[in-house]
Structures are given as structure tokens and as C-alpha cells.
Amino acid sequence: MTSVTKQINRHTIAVLVDNEPGVLARVIGLFSGRGYNIESLTVAETRRGRHLSRITIVTSGTPMVIEQIKAQLTRLIPVYQVRDLTQDGAYVERELALVKVKGSGDKRVESLRISDIFRARAVDSTNESFVFEIVGTSNKIDAFIDLMKPLGLIDISRTGVVAISRGTDSLEGDD
């Protein structure tokens, strides 16, 4: 007997929607109602005059599940455009995190050294702690956090992924 392994992949999906009450709840409801997981979710108005918001969703699933997610998102009434940035080609992805680390002596020096390697900035400092701001891919932020754990990691706040395709294509189309 041959076992078929279904490959689960991470996808970054950009969705252009009306900026109005209840839209985000409908998008989230689509995911929760069907048992799909959202790994990261960011939303903000992109152009005030046009009253449009961009939702960036990071999710994982088999190719069939990802296609179902995109098809169901497309059918939602306030949705204008759905793009799977992972499939469409090259894109730029970033996340911001604030990472609070306590420590003194050698641990304090080591946390500053690591932050310099990762190009994290100390945005707050007390005699007992630092708050670092780090921007990069989710993997970069995960690696930074892993290195800070043994040095006295206290707290983390992450924005979630924002992403945009490379080149001249636009989610909003031509102006």
C-alpha cells in the first residue's frame, strides 16, 4: 500500500476590501466557520479617499484547502481582489516586533550584542531591561526571540505579517 502525504504549505494572501464595519468579522468568520487557521492577520486602510482596506492573512493548508480559502474569500460581498502572494511570484514580507528582555551584567551585554547582529534597535532602556524593536521576516524575528529566551525574555508584541508583491502589479489595479 502506498500512503499519500498531503503537503501543507504556508501562504500569504492579500485581500482588498471595503473599509466598513463588519468586513473583518466576515473574513474571520469564513476561516473559523470552516476550521481554517489564521497564523497572522493585519488590516489597515490603504487609501482614505477610496475607503479601501488591505487585509494580509498568513495561513497554512494543503493546495486544495488554500484554493477553497481563496474561492470563498472571492465570494464575500465586500471583497474586490484576492491575491495569493505566495503563488503569484516574488513578494516582500515584513513583520515588526517589540521584544522586552531583562538582565544585568553579562546577559545585558549579550542581549545588546545579539540585537546589533539582528539590526534590532533598543527603543527603551531601564537599569533592569531593554525593549528592542526588530523588523524583518517572521523567521528572523523567531530566531531573535529564541536567542533572547535564555537572556531574560519577558514579553513580546508582534504586528503580524504585511506583504506586497514585487514589480509593477497592484492589488488595487490602475488608478
Side-chain angles (χ1 to χ4, degrees):
M1 264 198 288
T2 308
S3 68
V4 177
T5 306
K6 294 186 179 190
Q7 189 169 3
I8 295 177
N9 294 312
R10 179 180 181 263
H11 283 254
T12 302
I13 299 171
V15 184
L16 186 66
V17 299
D18 279 333
N19 184 17
E20 62 184 38
V23 173
L24 184 58
R26 281 182 254 164
V27 170
I28 292 170
L30 181 150
F31 277 78
S32 66
R34 288 159 181 83
Y36 303 144
N37 187 42
I38 296 174
E39 295 175 19
S40 173
L41 174 74
T42 59
V43 61
E45 189 172 48
T46 57
R47 298 197 185 169
R48 291 197 189 281
R50 294 177 69 186
H51 302 289
L52 296 174
S53 288
R54 180 187 188 106
I55 300 173
T56 305
I57 302 166
V58 177
T59 189
S60 295
T62 63
M64 188 174 85
V65 166
I66 298 300
E67 289 306 314
Q68 287 175 347
I69 289 170
K70 292 187 301 189
Q72 291 165 357
L73 282 169
T74 302
R75 285 195 288 268
L76 288 177
I77 294 300
V79 172
Y80 292 105
Q81 180 80 256
V82 175
R83 301 272 301 274
D84 185 345
L85 298 175
T86 306
Q87 275 188 334
D88 288 353
Y91 66 100
V92 177
E93 173 184 305
R94 292 292 182 269
E95 184 175 3
L96 177 135
L98 297 174
V99 179
K100 189 186 299 184
V101 180
K102 69 177 179 177
S104 60
D106 289 343
K107 287 187 176 185
R108 188 171 175 85
V109 172
E110 182 66 5
S111 66
L112 283 170
R113 188 186 68 74
I114 291 170
S115 71
D116 188 46
I117 292 168
F118 279 81
R119 295 188 179 145
R121 288 186 326 131
V123 293
D124 184 64
S125 177
T126 69
N127 289 334
E128 298 87 28
S129 69
F130 287 109
V131 175
F132 295 107
E133 173 189 78
I134 182 167
V135 177
T137 64
S138 297
N139 289 340
K140 175 184 175 180
I141 292 172
D142 290 341
F144 181 74
I145 290 168
D146 287 344
L147 290 172
M148 289 297 162
K149 283 178 185 175
L151 299 177
L153 181 69
I154 299 171
D155 204 359
I156 305 163
S157 180
R158 295 174 78 152
T159 60
V161 172
V162 294
I164 195 164
S165 63
R166 295 190 67 211
T168 59
D169 287 344
S170 169
L171 186 62
E172 294 183 35
D174 296 332
D175 284 326

